Amino acid sequence: MTEPDAEFPERLAWFHAAILPASTPPHDTGNTAPPGTGPYRVTHYDPATGMVLDRNPYFQEWAHDAQPAGYPDRIDVTFGLDPEGEVTAIENGQYDVMYEDVPLDRLGEVGSRYAQQVQIYTLLLYYYAALNVQIPPFQSLKARQALNYALNRHAMVIYHGGEAVAAPLCQLLPQGAPGYEPACAYTKGASPTHPLHQWQAPDLAEARRLVRESGTAGQKVTIVAPLEGRYAAMAMELRSTLASLGYDATVRSMTQTVQFSYVQNSDNHVQLALTGWNADYPSASSFLQTLFACASFRPHSDNSPNMSAFCNPDIDGLMTRAATAALTSPEESAEDWAEVDRALMAKAPAVPLVQIKRVRLLSKRTRNAIVTLNDEILLSQLQVQ
């Protein structure tokens, strides 16, 4: 490091930060895993079928909170099952835990028949519409605010399984992130200067007034969205909302792996990108700085997470102040990040849509399933009877 980093401990705890021998080659080692420091080691790996983790005979627990010893002697991981098959396999007692979320069409079944085997927890993950502030119609602040006012966030919740597993999102810091303070500037009866505590209902009258004042009515808007089912429903809701505001809106769908890099590249002139973001670890910066800081916009690059092409030096200054305050006062830093969140929503570079919860199904014999905020299950802590 060249300067102090208040988030350094969190970066070390991130599962991508693995301590390896100095002799580890700086390239892909193929199917041979380098030695690690945990209670398990990879004894078999096939990228097409799965892997086996056995106890590491050299592991000694030095601090239970930092790296506890595992409970199972052996962990078998199978690749290639689709989520529908995974649910059925766990219901039948063939497997103990599934990595993917329970599919929407199985939520009712799982909730009614297997409620004692379900864990539900809030993720630091949300879906949003990034609005390109450099090209029409969203060059106009009023056009961006109008879409925020008009969107029916309750519909977005329904598309993700209902209120038990999703919540309407009206700001750019999700619940659970440091600095999160409930505030909704774009709902009936609210404004950026007088936000309400939570989203209530769309305000189409205010939205249409803003569109008229922006002079953007009638312009074409293309929504670039992934093909996956939930995205398709959200994209059509956005298209319908834009049409109700007087825009000529269409949806362009593509596979998610292609779409994510495509919408980041400014050369593609994407007006509205439907996407999502998951924090690497609990921090406000991993949302607000990563997605909306000036430095996060990289023209002509597929690696430009600031898909809105938004840059505001004053808000950047607030972000720097919040990050710096974290070195000495986490409480002051959290207050500063809340201010950044409100300032960003006043400029409306994006439309927050919905924050989701993970529904994880376990076998009858599984106990002590511990999940981190960034959605990583601690396999070593699972207990099976």
Side-chain angles (χ1 to χ4, degrees):
M1 295 190 297
T2 58
E3 58 187 18
D5 181 0
E7 296 178 3
F8 186 61
E10 286 80 4
R11 297 185 202 276
L12 288 180
W14 187 28
F15 71 98
H16 279 281
I19 297 174
L20 301 171
S23 59
T24 305
H27 57 73
D28 189 347
T29 59
N31 293 350
T32 304
T37 60
Y40 295 92
R41 60 180 180 176
V42 179
T43 56
H44 172 76
Y45 174 71
D46 184 327
T49 60
M51 66 178 176
V52 176
L53 305 176
D54 284 306
R55 282 193 180 276
N56 178 1
Y58 302 102
F59 176 79
Q60 293 183 0
E61 184 179 280
W62 70 93
H64 184 78
D65 289 343
Q67 181 61 280
Y71 287 103
D73 291 325
R74 179 186 179 100
I75 301 172
D76 289 294
V77 183
T78 300
F79 301 155
L81 291 179
D82 63 82
E84 295 281 351
E86 291 176 11
V87 170
T88 301
I90 292 177
E91 290 176 349
N92 293 338
Q94 297 168 281
Y95 287 85
D96 294 305
V97 61
M98 60 185 290
Y99 182 80
E100 284 79 17
D101 204 2
V102 173
L104 290 178
D105 64 339
R106 305 292 291 272
L107 286 177
E109 166 197 340
V110 166
S112 61
R113 298 176 56 192
Y114 301 94
Q116 299 303 313
Q117 296 170 228
V118 170
Q119 279 191 338
I120 300 177
Y121 50 91
T122 301
L123 300 176
L124 291 178
L125 182 155
Y126 62 64
Y127 296 99
Y128 69 105
L131 308 179
N132 193 327
V133 303
Q134 295 194 1
I135 59 177
F138 300 118
Q139 276 179 324
S140 166
L141 171 59
K142 290 184 177 181
R144 303 195 300 270
Q145 292 177 326
L147 184 54
N148 267 284
Y149 269 120
L151 188 78
N152 186 347
R153 290 175 170 85
H154 179 65
M156 297 296 178
V157 170
I158 293 173
Y159 299 144
H160 287 272
E163 295 179 355
V165 293
L169 189 66
C170 205
Q171 56 196 104
L172 296 169
L173 266 185
Q175 180 182 353
Y180 170 79
E181 292 180 2
C184 185
Y186 301 106
T187 186
K188 203 169 186 65
S191 69
T193 53
H194 295 90
L196 294 182
H197 188 72
Q198 61 186 9
W199 186 82
Q200 302 290 332
D203 192 337
L204 281 172
E206 178 64 9
R208 287 168 178 155
R209 181 187 70 80
L210 288 166
V211 170
R212 287 194 301 271
E213 292 180 359
S214 73
T216 60
Q219 293 187 17
K220 292 185 176 182
V221 178
T222 300
I223 302 162
V224 180
L227 283 167
E228 188 264 329
R230 299 187 193 192
Y231 279 112
M234 290 190 290
M236 293 308 296
E237 184 71 29
L238 282 164
R239 190 208 66 78
S240 177
T241 302
L242 286 163
S244 73
L245 295 177
Y247 294 104
D248 180 7
T250 58
V251 176
R252 181 183 180 189
S253 299
M254 55 184 69
T255 60
Q256 189 167 2
T257 52
V258 173
Q259 189 260 4
F260 190 61
S261 58
Y262 181 88
V263 297
Q264 293 185 65
N265 196 318
S266 60
D267 292 340
N268 295 321
H269 307 290
V270 175
Q271 295 165 294
L272 189 158
L274 180 56
T275 188
W277 195 257
N278 194 106
D280 298 329
Y281 48 82
S283 76
S285 67
S286 62
F287 287 98
L288 304 186
Q289 273 188 314
T290 300
L291 299 180
F292 302 105
C294 297
S296 296
F297 174 55
R298 307 176 186 112
H300 321 296
S301 170
D302 288 348
N303 183 23
S304 179
N306 184 346
M307 289 164 261
S308 301
F310 179 80
C311 179
N312 184 294
D314 291 337
I315 295 179
D316 258 28
L318 293 176
M319 293 183 189
T320 300
R321 186 181 75 186
T324 303
L327 292 166
T328 55
S329 174
E331 295 80 11
E332 182 181 337
S333 176
E335 293 174 1
D336 290 342
W337 283 120
E339 182 181 350
V340 173
D341 192 13
R342 291 189 294 270
L344 281 169
M345 283 310 302
K347 296 297 184 182
V351 183
L353 304 176
V354 61
Q355 183 176 3
I356 68 169
K357 297 180 181 180
R358 170 73 78 189
V359 180
R360 177 156 273 151
L361 180 63
L362 307 168
S363 69
K364 287 183 179 180
R365 68 175 192 158
T366 302
R367 301 289 185 273
N368 201 43
I370 300 172
V371 179
T372 67
L373 274 173
N374 61 345
D375 193 29
E376 291 304 315
I377 189 165
L378 302 184
L379 294 176
S380 65
Q381 296 307 290
L382 289 175
Q383 300 173 5
V384 291
Q385 295 179 327

